[in-house]
């Protein structure tokens, strides 16, 4: 079966969801294609906390707003939301129940009029020369395609850009690659667990490894409280990265992540106060991937841009998150923006440099390894999604490509939608 749309979005993660909702709200007939049976991607399958809504530091400045705020507001209408201040020094984390967020994504997409196609695996891009005009996909009903006036690649792995012949860097091949993590949730946790400080937990991890009774690849990480009493959630495991199309490698990683989750749970149960009577509720349905393909766009965001708190004339989202590099060692490398500064992500970083008709949103933006380690968090990905969806709707309406959308028009639209574009306050550095 063939479909037609004004805008088609690949991937229903946090970036893709906001992109699809934004496009539909701006008048575009929008189709969203997702491999899973639910919406939200990492935000509902792997994590329970949104980071990068706030910049680190004592002030905890809020830097993401607009449509992403509506998502948080909706969660709060259904359930409790915890705001955990300055978690790991990376700014306030917004912790929620993933099952509630699944419902919120469903509601917002339906209300906006987005056509959702779940259980559908993307097989490639439809192209006319260097212009991307649609998406090919397969599901139980057979092989299909969607043709559209504008295409958004929110796959996380830049699958469409790669298939269409777009330029990209592949983490692990073209430099370092961040590791993968399987998350898990624990129930029946005692009150004493809430009193265990981060440094105490890490010291116990080191002690566990030295004892020879445990094998813990990562001697830090987090276990945190959730809105539900007696339930804790983790980001602890560390699995080597793999290419997105290495199916044997990702299959091994899934098994390795689950095995590590069992080992870390055993460590918590046997060595950490409050976990003596705990039970393992479950592991994430798929492993959390931080970094694979990063497109090469009209501009490549770099680590200097981040640490210099650079603001761009075409900045479509603001971020204050530190560079958080989950390398292959037992710790995590952090680099903070001086003076709690923030930078903006240029619209050009969402535009593949040698393709037309398509833009990206989320962690496959055009960035170096270091910059990516700051810009990949959920809050920033949602802000990029709002920009990408709005730009795609403008392009479809005017009969132009996303690259041809006037920057002033896009920024004015985002401003009306309440997005934080970093125009207020003095920037440490400005760039054209």
């Amino acid at each position: 079966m063939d479909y037609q749309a004004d805008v088609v979005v690949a991937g229903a993660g946090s970036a893709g969801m906001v992109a699809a909702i934004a496009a539909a709200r701006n008048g575009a007939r929008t189709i969203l294609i997702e491999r899973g049976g639910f919406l939200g991607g990492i935000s509902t399958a792997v994590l329970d906390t949104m980071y990068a809504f706030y910049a680190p530091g004592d002030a905890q400045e809020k830097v993401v707003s607009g449509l992403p705020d509506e998502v948080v507001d909706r969660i709060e209408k259904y359930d409790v939301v915890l705001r955990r201040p300055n978690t790991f020094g990376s700014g306030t984390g917004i912790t929620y129940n993933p099952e509630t967020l699944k419902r919120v994504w469903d509601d917002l997409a339906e209300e906006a009029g987005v056509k959702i196609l779940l259980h559908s695996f993307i097989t490639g891009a439809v192209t006319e020369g260097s212009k991307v005009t649609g998406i090919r996909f397969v599901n139980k009903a057979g092989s299909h395609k969607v043709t559209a006036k504008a295409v958004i690649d929110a796959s996380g792995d830049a699958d469409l850009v790669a298939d269409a012949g777009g330029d990209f860097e592949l983490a692990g091949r073209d430099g370092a690659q961040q590791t993968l993590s399987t998350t898990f949730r624990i129930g029946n946790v005692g009150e004493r667990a809430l009193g265990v400080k981060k440094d105490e937990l890490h010291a116990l991890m080191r002690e566990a490894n030295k004892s020879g009774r445990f094998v813990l690849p990562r001697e830090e990480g987090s276990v945190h409280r959730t809105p539900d009493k007696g339930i804790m959630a983790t980001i602890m495991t560390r699995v080597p990265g793999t290419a997105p199309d290495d199916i044997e490698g990702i299959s091994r990683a899934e098994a390795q992540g689950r095995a590590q989750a069992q080992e870390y749970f055993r460590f918590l149960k046997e060595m950490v106060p409050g976990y003596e009577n705990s039970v393992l509720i479950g592991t994430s349905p798929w492993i959390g991937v931080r970094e694979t393909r990063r497109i090469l766009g009209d501009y490549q965001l770099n680590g200097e841009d981040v640490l210099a708190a650079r603001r761009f004339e075409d900045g479509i989202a603001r971020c204050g998150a530190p560079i958080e590099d989950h390398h292959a060692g037992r710790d995590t490398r952090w680099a903070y923006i001086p003076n709690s500064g923030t930078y903006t992500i240029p619209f050009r970083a969402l535009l593949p440099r040698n393709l037309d008709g398509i833009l990206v949103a989320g962690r496959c933006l055009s960035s170096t390894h270091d910059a990516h380690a700051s810009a990949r968090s959920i809050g920033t990905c949602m802000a990029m999604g709002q920009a990408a969806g709005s730009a795609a709707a403008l392009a479809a309406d005017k009969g132009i490509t996303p690259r041809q959308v006037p920057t002033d028009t896009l920024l004015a639209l985002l401003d009306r939608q309440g997005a934080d574009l970093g125009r207020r306050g003095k920037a440490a550095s400005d760039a054209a």
Side-chain angles (χ1 to χ4, degrees):
M1 180 175 179
D2 291 346
Y3 297 82
Q4 290 186 329
D6 294 324
V7 175
V8 62
V9 181
S14 52
M17 284 306 306
V18 175
I21 294 164
R25 284 186 178 183
N26 282 294
R29 294 174 301 136
T30 304
I31 293 178
L32 175 64
I33 302 170
E34 165 58 30
R35 63 170 176 158
F38 54 88
L39 304 174
I42 294 296
S43 73
T44 49
V46 178
L47 298 178
D48 70 345
T49 300
M50 297 176 184
Y51 294 103
F53 268 73
Y54 295 83
D58 294 336
Q60 293 290 283
E61 181 183 6
K62 192 165 180 296
V63 298
V64 172
S65 55
L67 206 164
D69 273 345
E70 291 186 45
V71 177
V72 177
D73 290 344
R74 286 292 186 97
I75 300 172
E76 288 186 306
K77 286 182 179 178
Y78 285 116
D79 210 344
V80 175
V81 168
L82 298 179
R83 285 175 171 78
R84 297 188 290 118
N86 222 22
T87 52
F88 273 81
S90 60
T92 295
I94 301 172
T95 299
Y96 52 88
N97 186 317
E99 297 304 317
T100 303
L101 182 54
K102 287 178 185 177
R103 170 69 187 275
V104 167
W105 286 132
D106 285 336
D107 290 348
L108 288 170
E110 182 178 3
E111 291 165 13
V114 179
K115 180 185 285 292
I116 304 291
L117 300 177
L118 298 176
H119 299 291
S120 297
F121 197 89
I122 292 165
T123 57
V126 180
T127 59
E128 295 177 3
S130 62
K131 184 178 182 180
V132 179
T133 59
I135 298 176
R136 300 184 188 279
F137 64 100
V138 65
N139 54 32
K140 291 286 185 74
S143 298
H144 317 273
K145 72 175 179 179
V146 180
T147 54
K149 298 174 182 176
V151 179
I152 299 174
D153 188 340
S155 65
D157 299 319
D159 289 334
L160 291 177
V161 172
D163 186 71
D167 294 334
F168 61 86
E169 290 181 341
L170 179 60
R173 181 194 70 185
D174 302 320
Q177 180 177 19
Q178 295 204 57
T179 53
L180 317 179
S181 288
T182 298
T183 59
F184 59 97
R185 293 167 67 84
I186 311 163
N188 201 36
V189 178
E191 290 291 327
R192 293 174 65 202
L194 298 177
V196 178
K197 304 299 183 185
K198 177 181 68 175
D199 291 343
E200 296 175 65
L201 178 66
H202 296 174
L204 288 171
M205 288 179 173
R206 293 191 294 271
E207 180 183 334
N209 273 333
K210 288 179 181 177
S211 74
R213 295 191 299 114
F214 299 89
V215 179
L216 307 179
R218 183 181 180 191
E219 292 181 342
E220 39 100 283
S222 68
V223 56
H224 60 261
R225 64 192 180 106
T226 72
D228 303 304
K229 185 177 180 180
I231 296 179
M232 304 286 276
T234 71
I235 306 176
M236 285 183 165
T237 64
R238 174 154 289 173
V239 178
T242 185
D245 56 358
D246 181 0
I247 300 305
E248 292 185 11
I250 199 70
S251 298
R252 288 191 297 270
E254 292 281 10
Q256 189 175 350
R258 286 188 288 271
Q260 284 189 24
Q262 290 280 353
E263 183 76 341
Y264 276 98
F265 171 65
R266 185 172 72 91
F267 154 74
L268 290 167
K269 192 175 180 73
E270 293 184 17
M271 292 193 66
V272 182
Y275 293 89
E276 298 85 356
N277 299 311
S278 63
V279 294
L280 180 62
I281 295 175
T283 57
S284 51
W286 57 74
I287 199 165
V289 179
R290 293 184 174 90
E291 181 184 27
T292 52
R293 299 188 190 100
R294 305 184 308 273
I295 72 160
L296 290 172
D298 290 355
Y299 185 84
Q300 186 179 41
L301 188 73
N302 60 62
E304 183 182 348
D305 294 330
V306 172
L307 297 179
R310 191 154 291 140
R311 306 226 181 152
F312 296 88
E313 290 184 358
D314 61 339
I316 46 79
R318 189 155 71 108
C319 183
I323 293 173
E324 179 186 348
D325 187 358
H326 291 255
H327 61 96
R330 289 188 168 177
D331 64 352
T332 300
R333 297 191 186 108
W334 300 81
Y336 291 87
I337 304 171
N339 304 314
S340 301
T342 63
Y343 64 96
T344 60
I345 294 173
F347 180 56
R348 289 164 292 163
L350 308 186
L351 298 169
R353 68 185 183 188
N354 59 335
L355 295 176
D356 275 319
I358 186 171
L359 65 167
V360 305
R363 64 177 172 85
C364 55
L365 82 157
S366 178
S367 63
T368 63
H369 171 79
D370 285 349
H372 171 274
S374 167
R376 63 177 175 78
S377 292
I378 286 178
T380 311
C381 287
M382 292 170 76
M384 284 188 268
Q386 183 165 1
S390 299
L394 287 171
D397 179 61
K398 296 179 182 297
I400 58 178
T401 67
R403 179 172 280 106
Q404 293 172 322
V405 170
T407 300
D408 289 347
T409 302
L410 174 59
L411 297 183
L413 177 58
L414 292 174
D415 192 55
R416 290 196 298 272
Q417 293 171 172
D420 190 332
L421 306 178
R423 291 178 166 185
R424 301 174 183 86
K426 179 177 174 53
S429 171
D430 295 295

